[in-house]
């Protein structure tokens, strides 16, 4: 698939203005909540710039809805696996957002119990244990968010954006599962620009991105997994030329992760 076709498929626009994006995405969140006849947004806050940005947009959206006389609340959910390595950043992100309500669900007991049951059931992940457990963590976090949303007439926000979608860097039916994606079509540098325009703290805007899912590699940078930098990914998504080796790595990742971006395949 050619670069231009991928850019179009992922909805990355040629022009970018942070204030326009903020206005448009807040309007989207407001209209979706009203049209869905729900009264809350639910979002897991990790301490990274993606969930921080989505949270800032959601909190502004519900505040505007309340000013218009509508019932609207934003619930920020902390979802640590035991003790989170960068808990201080997650705490700072929550403080920056100022959510209406903060909930905490420790996913460690549920994730560990499931992994233990899988082993007892006859499947031992062996060397892939930490990778598989990482996916279980991501899915357990989404299970928790939907449980909370179910009790709060809520809509679950996802943090997927064009850079992660391009590389397939999310867990299928984990952080890749959500009701709305307010960051869709933005690459990483544009997410950071939106966060900065919303007044996010610099140390969170420019924090080294990490999924922090694999217990044997805590806080491993995303770029180490990609084999390319976010600057290269962002340049690709903005239609700029990049080194052939980087382009090949990106195209390979996009092709290999196609199943993540597709709906379940029906028979017949």
């Amino acid at each position: 698939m050619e670069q231009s076709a991928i850019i179009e498929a992922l909805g990355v626009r040629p022009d970018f203005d942070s204030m326009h994006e903020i206005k448009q995405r807040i309007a989207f969140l407001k209209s979706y909540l009203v049209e869905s006849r729900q009264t809350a947004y639910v979002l897991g806050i990790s301490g990274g710039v993606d969930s921080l940005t989505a949270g800032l947009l959601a909190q502004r959206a519900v505040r505007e809805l309340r000013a218009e006389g509508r019932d609207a609340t934003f619930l920020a959910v902390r979802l640590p696996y035991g003790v989170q390595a960068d808990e201080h950043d997650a705490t700072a992100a929550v403080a920056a957002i100022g959510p209406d309500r903060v909930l905490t669900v420790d996913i460690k007991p549920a994730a560990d119990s499931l992994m233990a049951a899988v082993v007892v059931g006859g499947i031992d992940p062996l060397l892939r244990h930490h990778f598989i457990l990482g996916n279980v963590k991501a899915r357990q976090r989404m299970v928790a968010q939907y449980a909370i949303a179910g009790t709060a007439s809520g809509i679950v926000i996802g943090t997927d954006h064009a850079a992660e979608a391009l590389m397939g860097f999310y867990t299928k039916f984990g952080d890749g599962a959500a009701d709305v994606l307010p960051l869709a079509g933005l690459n990483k540098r544009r997410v950071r620009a939106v966060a900065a325009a919303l007044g996010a703290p610099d140390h969170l805007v420019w924090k080294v991105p990490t999924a922090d899912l694999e217990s044997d590699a805590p806080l491993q940078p995303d770029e180490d997994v990609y084999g390319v930098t976010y600057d290269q990914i962002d340049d690709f998504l903005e239609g700029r030329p990049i080194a052939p080796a980087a382009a090949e790595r990106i195209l390979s990742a996009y092709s290999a992760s196609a199943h993540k971006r597709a709906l379940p395949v029906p028979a017949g």
Side-chain angles (χ1 to χ4, degrees):
M1 197 170 185
E2 293 184 357
Q3 182 178 6
S4 59
I6 293 173
I7 292 169
E8 182 178 0
L10 295 180
V12 181
R13 291 189 284 267
D15 299 320
F16 172 77
D17 176 83
S18 58
M19 299 311 296
H20 172 76
E21 295 292 342
I22 289 169
K23 182 178 179 180
Q24 181 184 54
R25 291 163 194 275
I26 288 175
F28 161 73
L29 288 170
K30 290 172 62 179
S31 64
Y32 190 90
L33 195 64
V34 171
E35 291 170 9
S36 66
R37 299 184 180 181
Q38 301 299 293
T39 58
Y41 272 122
V42 177
L43 171 64
I45 304 299
S46 67
V49 69
D50 300 337
S51 63
L52 169 60
T53 306
L56 288 166
L57 291 170
Q59 187 61 49
R60 289 199 180 193
V62 299
R63 283 176 181 164
E64 289 186 14
L65 284 172
R66 289 200 296 268
E68 296 167 8
R70 296 185 180 276
D71 184 8
T73 306
F74 174 54
L75 285 71
V77 188
R78 292 288 303 107
L79 296 158
Y81 176 77
V83 178
Q84 184 170 317
D86 56 349
E87 180 62 34
H88 58 290
D89 287 335
T91 300
V94 170
I97 295 166
D100 297 316
R101 188 177 179 189
V102 182
L103 304 173
T104 300
V105 177
D106 182 359
I107 64 160
K108 182 175 173 58
D112 288 352
S113 178
L114 178 57
M115 283 295 291
V118 167
V119 173
V120 170
I123 300 296
D124 189 347
L126 294 176
L127 296 178
R128 288 175 59 83
H129 176 88
H130 290 293
F131 176 79
I132 300 300
L133 176 58
N135 285 333
V136 169
K137 292 177 188 177
R139 292 179 178 127
Q140 189 59 50
R141 287 184 171 116
M142 195 53 70
V143 168
Q145 288 175 76
Y146 271 102
I148 291 168
T151 67
S153 297
I155 298 294
V156 175
I157 293 175
T159 60
D160 186 39
H161 50 74
E164 287 185 348
L166 175 64
M167 302 301 290
F169 196 66
Y170 53 89
T171 299
K172 196 173 185 177
F173 306 124
D175 50 323
D179 297 311
V180 293
L181 301 174
L183 306 182
L186 298 175
N187 59 14
K188 195 71 171 185
R189 67 168 60 112
R190 292 179 178 182
V191 170
R192 285 177 167 140
V194 168
L198 287 166
D202 285 346
H203 75 281
L204 295 180
V205 172
W206 297 105
K207 178 184 176 182
V208 175
T210 172
D212 194 30
L213 288 177
E214 298 185 39
S215 300
D216 61 341
L219 299 181
Q220 181 180 28
D222 295 352
E223 293 176 330
D224 288 358
V225 180
Y226 292 154
V228 291
T229 68
Y230 268 114
D231 278 339
Q232 290 170 317
I233 293 168
D234 290 347
D235 283 346
F236 180 95
L237 288 168
E238 291 176 12
R240 304 181 188 194
I242 63 172
E248 182 179 355
R249 177 71 188 94
I250 289 170
L251 290 170
S252 175
Y254 185 76
S255 177
S257 60
H259 67 98
K260 291 187 176 184
R261 296 181 296 273
L263 293 173
V265 181

